[in-house]
Amino acid sequence: MARYAIGVDLGGTNLRAAAVDSSGKLIERLSGRTNLAAGRDAVVGDIVDSILRLRTACGDGGLAGIGVAVPGIIEMRRGIIRESPNLPGFNDFPVRDEIERRLQAPVHLENDANAAALGEKWVGAGRDVDDLVLLTLGTGIGGGIICQGKILHGSLGMAGELGHIQVVPHGNPCACGGHGCLEKHASATAVSLMARLMGLGDNLTSEEVYQLAVQGNSAAHVVFATMGRALGVALADLINIFDFPLYLLSGGALAAWDFFAPSMFEEVRRSSYVYRYSKPRIDKAELGTDAGLFGAACLPFMA
Ligand SMILES: [Zn+2]
């Protein structure tokens, strides 16, 4: 049996797990719902159960390790989720130790967007570079930074909270305590809010705003152009800071690429002189919702 690792991607909605070999080839996968209503213990039980099922299917012998990706701010050394809007009840919970205790095996814990960036680096759109930034556009915006092939963690493991870069001074207030954060101006939630402010409708999803843009609605076009500019401001900053060759965007909002990308590129060209010289790629990620899963499985191979 080839060496393999087990990766788990715990989201607020879905719980995915996979066995992946050392070359990044998927061996076996499982997916189910994250049963938050049943409580934290039951969710941890489901994580452990999916790992055990994959381990039984693939055999103990070749198992290189286990990686678990979770949404929220985590403290790496202690294996604790400090704050997670998507996982109520997990704040300050030592999730890594609890999984290790039940499995009797070591576990690598990682933030989900960091894991997604690593997944894209390993087998996705970033496989040919050593340095990249990933922005995951969803209800919020996550970020991951890969520097010289590795996740950039900072001192506690909280680096890469790129959704909370300020892009609009004195902009919309954010749960993080800041104002004008990227995720308040470029996430799916921000698209819905802008659509409301533009008089398009009170409870439109970002997908519905996208459909209006496809039909030629000019207010919907303004919404996506505004979103693109916010992304452009953040990307210009990131490019000026890192001078990396690749910046990736992922998430459902990519469907609206044609509507937000022109103003995004315009803003980047205007605001980043590093961009004008180094011409890095700003592109769509490739792995979709599987990026975090592959990244989680990659963690034991990186250790
Ligand atoms: Zn914020």
Side-chain angles (χ1 to χ4, degrees):
M1 171 49 104
R3 255 164 71 81
Y4 74 98
I6 293 174
V8 176
D9 186 11
L10 174 66
T13 309
N14 296 304
L15 171 60
R16 303 183 177 88
V20 181
D21 77 13
S22 56
S23 68
K25 196 166 141 284
L26 183 74
I27 301 169
E28 181 114 24
R29 70 184 299 156
L30 301 168
S31 53
R33 306 290 285 178
T34 304
N35 194 359
L36 286 174
R40 187 175 70 195
D41 268 6
V43 173
V44 173
D46 288 344
I47 294 171
V48 170
D49 183 55
S50 52
I51 293 168
L52 291 175
R53 279 166 62 195
L54 288 166
R55 194 165 75 180
T56 304
C58 300
D60 267 346
L63 181 59
I66 297 156
V68 177
V70 296
I73 308 233
I74 65 170
E75 201 174 317
M76 296 281 302
R77 192 173 47 79
R78 295 164 69 203
I80 285 175
I81 301 178
R82 293 308 299 267
E83 213 174 304
S84 182
N86 296 322
L87 295 175
F90 278 74
N91 287 2
D92 287 326
F93 177 60
V95 62
R96 182 193 61 203
D97 289 358
E98 182 56 25
I99 298 171
E100 287 183 344
R101 188 183 68 75
R102 298 194 198 186
L103 279 177
Q104 295 295 306
V107 167
H108 302 268
L109 187 72
E110 187 55 80
N111 165 272
D112 58 353
N114 284 354
L118 184 62
E120 291 290 343
K121 154 73 194 121
W122 193 25
V123 289
R127 58 190 165 274
D128 296 329
V129 300
D130 281 332
D131 305 288
L132 67 86
V133 171
L134 171 71
L135 292 172
T136 63
L137 312 178
T139 47
I141 292 184
I145 301 162
I146 303 296
C147 186
Q148 299 181 351
K150 292 182 178 159
I151 295 169
L152 185 75
H153 281 123
S155 60
L156 290 179
M158 298 177 182
E161 283 297 318
L162 306 179
H164 300 281
I165 291 180
Q166 192 186 52
V167 295
V168 179
H170 315 294
N172 296 329
C174 180
C176 75
H179 282 78
C181 292
L182 178 63
E183 76 170 32
K184 288 291 154 190
H185 294 271
S187 64
T189 318
V191 166
S192 301
L193 174 67
M194 284 189 278
R196 180 154 63 84
L197 296 174
M198 296 285 296
L200 282 169
D202 267 356
N203 292 305
L204 293 181
T205 63
S206 56
E207 167 66 24
E208 287 166 332
V209 183
Y210 167 67
Q211 289 304 336
L212 288 173
V214 171
Q215 290 158 26
N217 183 299
S218 60
H221 284 208
V222 171
V223 167
F224 286 112
T226 308
M227 170 197 176
R229 256 193 309 282
L231 281 170
V233 170
L235 286 165
D237 282 348
L238 292 166
I239 293 164
N240 283 344
I241 294 167
F242 291 114
D243 184 21
F244 283 170
L246 182 63
Y247 302 81
L248 294 171
L249 304 178
S250 72
L254 288 193
W257 177 272
D258 289 347
F259 297 114
F260 71 74
S263 63
M264 175 181 78
F265 280 106
E266 187 184 282
E267 185 62 42
V268 170
R269 272 192 301 270
R270 196 175 67 80
S271 306
S272 169
Y273 67 138
V274 176
Y275 177 82
R276 296 195 294 270
Y277 286 110
S278 70
K279 295 281 174 3
R281 239 174 90 208
I282 301 172
D283 212 343
K284 300 174 186 177
E286 286 180 5
L287 300 179
T289 51
D290 281 346
L293 189 56
F294 278 95
C298 184
L299 295 169
F301 294 123
M302 303 284 291

